[in-house]
Amino acid sequence: MNTPRPASTGLSVQQVLLCGALIVTLSMGIRHGFGFWLQPIITERGWTRETFSFAMAIQNLAWGIAGPIAGMLADRFGAWKVLIGGGLAYALGLVLMAVTSHPLSFTLGAGVLIGIAQSGSTYAVIYGVLGRTVSPEKRSWAFGVAAAAGSFGQFVMIPIETWLISHLGWQGALWLLAGAALLIVPLALGVRERRVAAFNGVHQSIGQALREAFGYRSFQLLMLGYFVCGFQVVFIGVHLPSYLKDHGLGIGVSTGALMLIGLFNIFGTYTAGMLGQRFPKRYLLSAIYGLRAVAIVIFISVPLTPLSVYIFAAVIGFLWLSTVPPTNAVVAQIFGAQHLSMLGGFVFLSHQVGSFLGVWLGGKLYDSTGSYDVVWWLSIALGIMAMLANLPVRETPITRAQPA
């Protein structure tokens, strides 16, 4: 049986990788530093941590809910149109964050608008174009390159955002980032496909693709694992700076930690993409979730010092988004690339439900208990669950009846 190959999209792999990488760098890089806005915003506005955390939780939930819709539109009408909308919504959401003084409108900007923007400017949409451009045997590598670009954005934007806050104030920094988000619009033209074609010799409607995927056990298990991924990384990304401050460690340690997460994330995501070409991806995913649980146990068990923080940041950074390339590669491997953006969006919806709970519970339980301990241990338990859930995943292409 011959391996199905994507139809021509009129794009070169190099062009898609470059423009897609820059888009993901901006989109993921800007959001990675949102934790630094928690303290100055709640101090000036007189809000609680839960208020800010709830807006960030809504952001992740809106990202997840809008993800499948963005994926459907990208698969049907072209990713570049969705990316342009995502860039415009991103800029508008950042501006609303800067000017509003009411929790409800802050949640609308930081939560709903930016969440929708991220659904149309990050991995699921870019991976759809890559899946239609890159040959199947190189998809895991290409996904790893795109994920590494998002990791680079996280690394490089952290010092930029902290510098902007200290020199321009938190509001001025948000205005400047809104201008940066608008760069997504011209970059979107670089992934403009000539046409979107069917794959695997069998054309499926959206309804057929959804029934097939949600009725498939391995798809359900991948969604469960991604739920845990979202819970862990967003809780850490948003609440780690405040956790360190509560323990007497300054902003410099927090900045260094998030920079290290972004730096080692580059190597982790690229390595995961490469290893996904050679080894079963289900074992790779299980190892990542298991190692995350071990890293968190050690981090909260040893004395908290700048050195222990930096070591934890490097380890958790290497594992940070390393789940993204193998998870999406398995989805493409099982179901093909015709509806890849949409199916990737649904998997990511599970991720964002976990993100919502991770970031919201972080603020909620801190306000009620005065500690993050419960959420740390919950992250550990979920990591073990995800490790076990990914082991029985089947990676072989699904068998479909051929049309007469």
Side-chain angles (χ1 to χ4, degrees), residues 127 139-140 143-144 147 218-227 229 272-273 276 280-282 284-286 288-289 292 320-335 340 343-348 350-351 390 393-395:
Y127 281 172
R139 277 186 191 140
S140 182
F143 291 173
S218 293
F219 188 76
Q220 299 167 4
L221 294 174
L222 288 170
M223 291 184 69
L224 177 61
Y226 233 29
F227 167 88
C229 179
K281 300 172 188 64
R282 61 187 183 278
L284 181 60
L285 288 166
S286 294
I288 291 168
Y289 289 118
R292 280 189 190 177
W320 192 255
L321 292 180
S322 54
T323 59
V324 174
T327 299
N328 285 274
V330 171
V331 173
Q333 193 168 321
I334 295 174
F335 302 106
L340 180 56
L343 295 180
F346 274 105
V347 174
F348 195 70
S350 176
H351 183 284
N390 276 275
V393 168
R394 297 181 62 184
E395 302 178 29

Side-chain angles (χ1 to χ4, degrees), residues 66-89:
I69 300 173
M72 291 178 195
L73 294 174
D75 289 333
R76 178 66 179 86
F77 300 106
W80 67 279
K81 297 178 182 178
V82 176
L83 290 166
I84 288 175
L88 295 174

